[in-house]
Amino acid sequence: MLSRMMVRAAVLRKGSAISALTATIVAAAAATAMLNLFVDVQAKLQKEFRKFGANVVIEASPGRNFSPENLSTINSSLAGRGLAAPFAYAVVRTSKDQPIVVAGVDFDLARKLDPWWSVSAWPHNSGEALVGVRSAQVLAPSGGPFDLAYQGHFLHLTNAGTLRTGAGEDSRVYLSLTDFRSWTGREPSVVEIAVSGSPKEINSVISDLQANIPGADVRPVRQVSEGEARIMGKTRSTLLFSAALIVTTAALCVLATLMGWVFDRRRDFATMKALGASDRLIAMFVAGEAAVLGLVGAIPGFALGTGIAAWIGRANFHAPVSPRLSVFPPVLAGAIVVTLIAALLPLQLLRRIQPAMILRGE
């Protein structure tokens, strides 16, 4: 009987039923999209931030360098949580006896760590160098080979490509770490690390590195780490605020619809009370309608919200947001709770219905 009454009420009041159902679907779709983005956007933003280079730097104590054992310890401490690229530095002399900074680096690691570098061509062979645009004007304006000297040891290099960053890298010359070691005999003194994860996870990595590499200066790159934390916090807040605003608007729409239902059917409820129906039974009937409304609206809303989240992910991150079935239970529960909350005020009005007055037409 309860099911027949609910179906009959929906059929006779199609406009109101469709309006309330649409509001519920919109609320469920918004909640689904925002929850999917909330879960997935953090990983995508972290991936985008890693394109800006290192967010943690380790420097050896003054006058010392990192041994191969130290570098192995650093990689072990990361345990797959980031990428580390060691850099070795030396001040050398040009053929005109001008000082210039030369850095030794693993080019494959540098390419992954600093994809934001503007490089015309990466070195691939021994004896090739990556030359900063300002250094190139001093060493080889025409792009030809050049010579460098370090403590009486000369090295003939070929300009494989130029580097432009707008920062200090433009004034340096980069060699492969193998060539640099064999030429200068020096080991890396700086390790740049791109750590993936939340600010808490990044701080955990920093603590592990400080414990495992005593004496080294381990510090975050504040501009990157603080900017990442700030943007992540604002993004999450915006998603939650948007979802709350849309859900609240939908709840008000459902509330208005249920109020209209109660007003239009006050004679029906008065008749039910006159026949002996209790306030509790009528409340269960109205609450049941609201719960069914939330249940029916949550299913298409979840499907619609999943599609919206995928579209937003592809438009902004060039990769769709993966559907997460784990989001459906909270969306379903939330849709039912919202419709039940919207039914509270109509239920209060039902308690005040006086059957005799309503049936007399007053």
Side-chain angles (χ1 to χ4, degrees):
M1 178 62 70
L2 181 62
S3 300
R4 292 181 61 185
M5 292 175 65
M6 290 182 179
V7 172
R8 186 65 176 170
V11 171
L12 294 178
R13 296 171 177 83
K14 293 180 179 179
S16 297
I18 292 175
S19 176
L21 183 61
T22 301
T24 306
I25 291 174
V26 170
T32 299
M34 297 307 169
L35 287 175
N36 272 289
L37 289 172
F38 186 82
V39 174
D40 203 78
V41 75
Q42 181 168 340
K44 294 190 180 301
L45 282 177
Q46 288 170 357
K47 182 179 178 180
E48 292 297 318
F49 275 118
R50 295 293 66 79
K51 294 180 180 179
F52 292 97
N55 54 1
V56 176
V57 174
I58 309 176
E59 289 188 7
S61 55
R64 302 189 63 181
N65 298 317
F66 291 118
S67 65
E69 292 75 16
N70 293 143
L71 299 179
S72 178
T73 301
I74 291 173
N75 288 320
S76 299
S77 300
L78 291 177
R81 295 177 291 180
L83 176 68
F87 288 79
Y89 295 96
V91 178
V92 304
R93 293 283 173 174
T94 69
S95 57
K96 297 180 181 180
D97 201 32
Q98 295 171 304
I100 195 167
V101 176
V102 174
V105 65
D106 185 320
F107 286 119
D108 290 335
L109 291 177
R111 193 170 186 172
K112 296 176 182 177
L113 182 74
D114 296 307
W116 60 277
W117 281 8
S118 178
V119 177
S120 61
W122 288 90
H124 294 287
N125 302 313
S126 177
E128 293 182 341
L130 179 64
V131 185
V133 290
R134 288 197 293 268
S135 296
Q137 296 173 1
V138 176
L139 294 170
S142 60
F146 55 90
D147 296 313
L148 295 175
Y150 177 77
Q151 296 181 355
H153 299 280
F154 292 89
L155 184 65
H156 184 75
L157 295 170
T158 301
N159 187 347
T162 56
L163 167 65
R164 183 188 299 273
T165 66
E169 292 85 358
D170 292 356
S171 300
R172 299 172 188 161
V173 176
Y174 287 85
L175 311 179
S176 70
L177 196 53
T178 302
D179 287 347
F180 185 90
R181 281 175 174 149
S182 62
W183 178 38
T184 65
R186 302 186 64 173
E187 294 291 337
S189 58
V190 175
V191 179
E192 296 184 3
I193 304 175
V195 182
S196 301
S198 64
K200 183 178 180 180
E201 292 170 331
I202 294 174
N203 290 331
S204 175
V205 171
I206 292 175
S207 298
D208 292 343
L209 291 170
Q210 289 173 338
N212 295 331
I213 312 293
D217 180 18
V218 184
R219 64 181 186 277
V221 180
R222 295 296 180 186
Q223 295 90 334
V224 177
S225 58
E226 292 179 1
E228 180 177 350
R230 185 165 54 251
I231 292 175
M232 291 287 292
K234 289 183 178 180
T235 301
R236 289 194 294 264
S237 299
T238 300
L239 291 175
L240 291 178
F241 176 78
S242 301
L245 180 62
I246 296 174
V247 170
T248 301
T249 304
L252 292 176
C253 183
V254 174
L255 171 62
T257 301
L258 293 179
M259 289 288 291
W261 281 6
V262 171
F263 182 79
D264 292 342
R265 297 159 64 191
R266 61 189 185 279
R267 294 182 64 86
D268 298 339
F269 293 126
T271 302
M272 293 174 65
K273 280 192 174 184
L275 294 175
S278 64
D279 289 339
R280 181 179 180 183
L281 179 62
I282 296 176
M284 290 178 61
F285 174 73
V286 175
E289 285 186 335
V292 170
L293 181 66
L295 176 64
V296 174
I299 298 174
F302 174 77
L304 179 61
T306 300
I308 293 174
W311 175 78
I312 293 175
R314 186 173 294 280
N316 290 275
F317 303 105
H318 308 290
V321 174
S322 303
R324 298 179 182 273
L325 294 178
S326 59
V327 171
F328 180 69
V331 169
L332 177 61
I336 294 175
V337 169
V338 166
T339 53
L340 288 177
I341 292 176
L344 290 178
L345 184 57
L347 288 176
Q348 292 297 323
L349 295 178
L350 284 176
R351 292 179 179 274
R352 301 176 184 177
I353 290 179
Q354 300 296 327
M357 297 177 62
I358 296 298
L359 292 177
R360 286 202 305 267
E362 299 181 4

